[in-house]
Amino acid sequence: MLSEADLPPQVVDEYLLRQDRALTWADRPELIKQVSKPKKYSKEWKRAWTRENLADTICRYLNSAIPVILTRDSINHTQVVVGYLREEDLDKTLGDSRQSDTHSDMVAFIVADDTRGPYEIVYLDDLVAEILNESIAATSIVIPLPRALWMTGDAAEKVATERFAVYAQTRLEAIDKWPAVAGDHQLAKSLRVALTPFAKALAKPGSNQFTVRTYASPGTDFKYSFAKRVADEELVRQVGYTWLPKYVWVIEILDRHLRRQGREAVVATMVLDSTKVVFEDANETYRDVWPLFIHLPGQALAVPPYFGYYAETDQNEASWFVAPSEPYFSGRWSHKVLTDYPLQRIAGLAKTALGS
């Protein structure tokens, strides 16, 4: 049915939800402890990875304005996930004092259920227990995707998490020989001050300083959103001239402390071509996936139109340019997004949603 509606689905079943992965700088120390201490494939190990994969997968697509279908054989019904709640949302909005054993501050989903009502709360820990209970029938996730969104969110996040760490270190080492610095020792010093703690935090798992947020967006919407959120005219101009496909994956690095305070928290951004079909090799790395745009503290790179999507311009020192290091707000989808759009853009979104 979804394929006939031109929304080919991605299905994430129980087997995929239990899979582990390499730990990264974006993982909380609590997760690292939970998956490192118990024996592999033990009940505690499976529980930690199931919780992590379930929360991350659903949140990526909700942040992309794509609802997620939750199939639950335990209730012989499907529910549509339309939102998620963090610990502070439960405490302040719902007055819920329920304690969660999760290493993430995402603790519950908001679902639409035609048999119960439009907004029901389903707790993350309850879903995890349901998935791990072998006496209960299967639970899986179905994501209706736009046809041009070929790369999965999981693959995009893996690529960016790895590349961010590599770029941070190589760009730090290249500052003194960078043509944009050209002997300006004061500029070189300020660039090192901006990038050194960032590169250090991304060098190993468990720093707990930064987290990663991944979402899909139409290329034109990303340009519009980025221009509204970032004050630097040169950075916005470079993004504006970058050729982007219909849909892109946007991966942001957020400062956890700034996010908790409700302030501008995005310190780095990477944009990947969502139409790129990727293949994972034996080392869990993705070949031939290059960013169309990347912003690190103090510097950035945007692929020029005449280079094409897959040119390895990241190897060219002249392709990088000096950029601001001040944080900015996230561009993920939320109910507040439409308030920033002109009426013409809202009409265009409605027309697209109606398929006309």
Side-chain angles (χ1 to χ4, degrees), residues 147-329:
R147 187 166 292 278
L149 200 65
W150 296 115
M151 184 188 295
T152 66
D154 180 63
E157 189 166 303
K158 282 184 178 180
V159 170
T161 302
E162 174 191 333
R163 298 288 168 84
F164 267 127
V166 173
Y167 287 137
Q169 188 59 43
T170 56
R171 294 309 305 164
L172 180 61
E173 296 171 355
I175 286 178
D176 290 328
K177 56 183 180 181
W178 187 16
V181 175
D184 189 334
H185 300 293
Q186 188 63 33
L187 175 59
K189 180 180 179 180
S190 64
L191 291 172
R192 277 193 292 271
V193 169
L195 196 54
T196 298
F198 179 80
K200 184 178 180 180
L202 270 58
K204 61 180 180 179
S207 67
N208 203 32
Q209 182 176 354
F210 298 114
T211 186
V212 64
R213 172 177 288 159
T214 302
Y215 57 91
S217 170
T220 52
D221 285 2
F222 169 73
K223 290 184 178 183
Y224 181 85
S225 168
F226 196 77
K228 295 283 289 185
R229 296 180 287 117
V230 177
D232 186 77
E233 294 183 0
E234 177 60 19
L235 186 57
V236 170
R237 187 184 71 84
Q238 292 281 357
V239 170
Y241 281 121
T242 303
W243 282 0
L244 298 180
K246 183 175 181 179
Y247 290 100
V248 295
W249 278 108
V250 183
I251 304 90
E252 300 172 338
I253 296 181
L254 291 85
D255 185 298
R256 294 184 189 273
H257 179 68
L258 294 176
R259 186 180 67 173
R260 283 193 295 268
Q261 294 179 332
R263 298 165 56 189
E264 296 96 329
V266 179
V267 297
T269 298
M270 184 181 295
V271 176
L272 299 176
D273 183 356
S274 71
T275 65
K276 178 73 172 176
V277 179
V278 298
F279 299 95
E280 187 175 4
D281 62 22
N283 296 320
E284 297 185 348
T285 58
Y286 293 87
R287 306 180 299 276
D288 301 326
V289 181
W290 307 99
L292 305 178
F293 168 75
I294 179 170
H295 173 226
L296 304 175
Q299 50 189 295
L301 175 144
V303 177
Y306 49 82
F307 272 77
Y309 287 155
Y310 305 112
E312 298 180 26
T313 53
D314 59 316
Q315 305 297 327
N316 185 356
E317 292 292 330
S319 300
W320 290 82
F321 58 93
V322 177
S325 56
E326 293 78 14
Y328 42 91
F329 285 113

Side-chain angles (χ1 to χ4, degrees), residues 37 45 56 62 71 100 105 140 152 158 162 190 198 201 251:
K37 186 176 180 179
W45 184 90
D56 284 356
L62 293 181
T71 66
S100 174
D105 58 354
S140 59
T152 66
K158 282 184 178 180
E162 174 191 333
S190 64
F198 179 80
I251 304 90

Side-chain angles (χ1 to χ4, degrees), residues 4-53:
E4 292 177 358
D6 208 28
L7 295 170
Q10 175 189 352
V11 179
V12 183
D13 59 18
E14 291 177 320
Y15 173 78
L16 294 175
L17 288 173
R18 295 191 184 114
Q19 294 301 299
D20 64 340
R21 57 165 172 78
L23 294 169
T24 73
W25 51 265
D27 293 318
R28 292 172 177 266
E30 293 84 354
L31 172 64
I32 297 174
K33 181 179 179 180
Q34 288 182 2
V35 300
S36 301
K37 186 176 180 179
K39 186 177 180 181
K40 191 172 184 179
Y41 302 120
S42 66
K43 184 177 180 180
E44 294 78 9
W45 184 90
K46 289 181 180 179
R47 187 168 184 267
W49 278 121
T50 300
R51 186 192 303 116
E52 177 75 5
N53 293 330

